[in-house]
């Protein structure tokens, strides 16, 4: 079982990925590459990157469909 500190870091990574996909990709990569020996961080680092890319693509799709105006 993961420690509380590890869970908090993972949750913060997911929040960053949803708010700012570019920073989410960076945060996920940092977690993944610096904690390679920890299976919890290894898994969640990859998932944070995937969530950030999905949020980025969703944002692009919403702007392209005209739901949101590009700034």
């Amino acid at each position: 079982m993961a420690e509380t500190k590890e869970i908090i870091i993972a949750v913060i990574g997911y929040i960053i990925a949803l708010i700012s996909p570019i920073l989410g990709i960076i945060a996920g990569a940092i977690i993944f590459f610096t904690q390679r020996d920890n299976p919890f961080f290894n898994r969640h680092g990859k998932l944070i990157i995937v969530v950030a890319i999905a949020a980025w693509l969703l944002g692009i799709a919403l702007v392209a469909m005209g739901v949101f105006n590009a700034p």
Side-chain angles (χ1 to χ4, degrees), residues 1 7-8 13 15 23 27 31 39 43-44 46 49 52 54 56 71:
M1 186 68 187
I7 294 171
I8 291 172
I15 292 170
L23 292 178
I31 290 170
R43 178 172 183 254
H44 286 283
K46 288 185 230 177
I49 294 170
W56 196 351

Side-chain angles (χ1 to χ4, degrees), residues 1-12 40-41:
M1 186 68 187
E3 295 181 19
T4 304
K5 180 177 77 170
E6 292 175 339
I7 294 171
I8 291 172
I9 291 171
V11 169
I12 290 172
F40 180 81
F41 280 137

Side-chain angles (χ1 to χ4, degrees), residues 53-69:
I53 292 171
W56 196 351
L57 293 175
L58 179 64
I60 290 171
L62 290 175
V63 169
M65 290 186 310
V67 176
F68 296 109
N69 294 329

